[in-house]
Amino acid sequence: MAPTSLRLLRFSQTPTRRIILSQSRTTLLPRTAVQFSRPASTTAAAAADASSLVTRLKNLLYGTSISLFAVFSYLYITDTRASVHQWLVVPTLRLVYPDAEDAHHAGTKALKALYSLNLHARERSSKKEDADLSVVVYGQKLQNPIGTSAGIDKLAEVPDALFALGPAIVEVGGTTPLPQDGNPKPRVFRLPSRNSMINRYGLNSKGADDMARTLRERVRAFAFRSGYGIGDDAEEFVLNGGAGVPPGSLTEGKMLLVQVAKNKDTKDDDIEAVKRDYVYCVERLAPYADILVVNVSSPNTPGLRTLQRVEPLTRILEGVVGAAKSARRKSPPKVMVKVSPDEDQDEQIEGIVEAIWKSGVDGVIVGNTTNRRDNILPRDLPLTPKEKEVLSEKGGLSGPHMFERTLGLVKRYRQLLDQGPPPEPTQPSETEEPAKPVAVGDKGDQLGSKIAEKLESTKEVVTSAVSAAVSGIKDSASGKLHEQKVIFATGGITNGKQALEILNAGASVAQVYTALVYGGSGTITKIKKEMREEIQKR
């Protein structure tokens, strides 16, 4: 190539190279710029990270605080020892529901809903060194001797929620064979200054079949939760003791009582019809009860208390005992009869005791609400005009004033029951020689022998009463041992000291009703705590 051409080529390439170099230099950042930009971006990132960390810590703190508050609130509100149950819940119910029956229904619905959500009040275990309150009833060891009376759960809707409050005994009902509305409303009245109530419900009930359906579903749900399956086989397995718990309460150390009664329209003088009413209820409910309670003492069903006479009561109880023994399970339920506190004459109590022994009933519940209006405590506190009006209402009165009467009745029933079955009447023999006249000289000796016989019989009664709890009741005529009859007591029991007095008088269980209405969900726990304190003092 010619030199001239080479010079021209180099000249043309030079600007191109310069342009490329100039463009490449403009894309490069100076060293100083690089050095200053890195610290600025790092600081911003660090600040952002610090702000984010603080936010996260705040959120964690707030979340933890809310969670701890929720946990402690749950533990407090669902504990029967919380004072809120007596001093907030009970007054609020009374304020929102001036009618006592409406408050009762609202409380039952709330308890049922809270139990389904596991938000119900329940008794939590206290100190291990506390006094043992367990008792043995019908060969079963109960966790404690406190129970709830019938009327709190009339339809067997919340027995498990009531068990959670701490009693070892829960009584549901009473139920009648056929549904009945009971007496017209209003039929429940409060006496707040006396912590008492008057009710004339009249045994309102949805009928025995409805209650049997409710209790059957409860047993089947328990079988399913416990992994025993579902259906008839699972139900039969639980009812026959396969689950290792009583078939009524479904909880170890506790018992479920089911109370039965007759329909209002069944004529009282037709004893066979009355007996059929009770037997109908027993045939349907016996499989699901640990103890059946025969109610012949409600003051709000006309003529019902007349059934406490010896002959009609014996026939009714014999029918109930027979039906209970035929229950479709291995161990039939026990049978108790609930008697009135107003039947307190000697001949009345003796007649009831005679019917208990003749019929084979296992025990008695002393007593019920009263028709009497005397001895309303405290005497020095005047009634308000509204309470005076309430006191004139018809119905059964319950409250603390009933305690002394209940205590006295327990002592009397215990004494009479421990004497054993009444002797069979002896028929005079046709060949028996007529009595010979007594010589004047022999009269003193004969009277002396009669007095000696009475003293001897009295000694036997005392001895049998002392040894009854160990060896049973001895029949004075045949010498045969009989199982001691069990007594439950209800009426006016409001604290632990009274419960201990009732138990020391001869009862095995003290039941509460009105005290629970006024004291709230913590009543049972409070009574048991007071019992332990009294025991430790001694």
Side-chain angles (χ1 to χ4, degrees), residues 2 44 102 155 179 192 198 200 221 237 281 283 286 315 335 369 383 398 451 455 460 483 511 516 534:
D102 291 340
L155 305 178
I198 293 175
R200 53 169 181 262
F237 178 81
C281 294
E283 288 175 344
R315 289 169 61 185
V335 177
T369 55
L383 292 167
S398 62
I451 294 172
L455 287 174
E460 290 179 2
E483 185 178 356
Q511 294 180 273
L516 188 62
E534 287 291 328

Side-chain angles (χ1 to χ4, degrees), residues 311-322:
E311 282 305 317
L313 184 58
T314 302
R315 289 169 61 185
I316 292 168
L317 295 180
E318 284 175 343
V320 170
V321 170

Side-chain angles (χ1 to χ4, degrees), residues 24 26 31-32 96 121 168 193 205 228 232 254 263 276 304 314 364 395 446 460 462 489 531 537:
S24 63
T26 56
R31 183 178 298 274
T32 56
V96 175
S193 69
S205 168
Y228 302 126
D232 294 340
K254 301 191 176 186
N263 276 117
R276 283 196 298 271
L304 186 63
T314 302
V364 59
Q446 187 175 4
E460 290 179 2
V462 174
M531 290 176 67
K537 287 179 184 178

Side-chain angles (χ1 to χ4, degrees), residues 80 82-92 518-523 526:
T80 54
S83 58
V84 67
H85 298 299
Q86 179 178 2
W87 304 114
L88 179 61
V89 175
V90 172
T92 301
Y518 281 95
S521 300
T523 302
K526 180 178 73 71

Side-chain angles (χ1 to χ4, degrees), residues 185-205:
K185 298 179 181 180
R187 52 192 179 183
V188 187
F189 310 91
R190 302 186 186 103
L191 287 167
S193 69
R194 301 302 191 273
N195 286 343
S196 301
M197 296 179 65
I198 293 175
N199 91 79
R200 53 169 181 262
Y201 273 114
L203 288 170
N204 52 312
S205 168

Side-chain angles (χ1 to χ4, degrees), residues 100-240:
E101 183 175 357
D102 291 340
H104 184 183
H105 292 321
T108 301
K109 289 179 181 177
L111 193 58
K112 186 176 182 179
L114 291 172
Y115 186 82
S116 66
L117 298 172
N118 198 31
L119 296 174
H120 61 288
R122 81 281 315 265
E123 187 177 66
R124 293 190 170 89
S125 58
S126 55
K127 299 177 183 178
K128 293 182 179 179
E129 61 268 20
D130 282 343
D132 182 20
L133 297 179
S134 62
V135 293
V136 176
V137 176
Y138 296 128
Q140 293 192 34
K141 186 177 181 180
L142 298 183
Q143 294 177 9
N144 60 77
I146 306 299
T148 62
S149 296
I152 296 174
D153 187 11
K154 297 180 75 68
L155 305 178
E157 296 177 285
V158 288
D160 296 309
L162 290 177
F163 275 126
L165 300 181
I169 294 286
V170 168
E171 184 180 357
V172 299
T175 186
T176 54
L178 302 176
Q180 63 180 29
D181 295 330
N183 294 320
K185 298 179 181 180
R187 52 192 179 183
V188 187
F189 310 91
R190 302 186 186 103
L191 287 167
S193 69
R194 301 302 191 273
N195 286 343
S196 301
M197 296 179 65
I198 293 175
N199 91 79
R200 53 169 181 262
Y201 273 114
L203 288 170
N204 52 312
S205 168
K206 290 186 177 181
D209 291 290
D210 181 84
M211 182 175 285
R213 209 162 27 245
T214 300
L215 294 176
R216 183 186 305 115
E217 290 173 359
R218 174 174 170 266
V219 170
R220 293 193 176 196
F222 171 82
F224 180 74
R225 289 195 308 270
S226 303
Y228 302 126
I230 192 169
D232 294 340
D233 292 340
E235 177 187 342
E236 185 178 351
F237 178 81
V238 173
L239 294 180
N240 287 324

Side-chain angles (χ1 to χ4, degrees), residues 412-429:
R412 293 167 69 185
Y413 272 99
R414 181 79 281 158
Q415 182 182 11
L416 287 173
L417 287 170
D418 285 353
Q419 292 178 15
E424 294 292 334
T426 56
Q427 297 294 333
S429 173

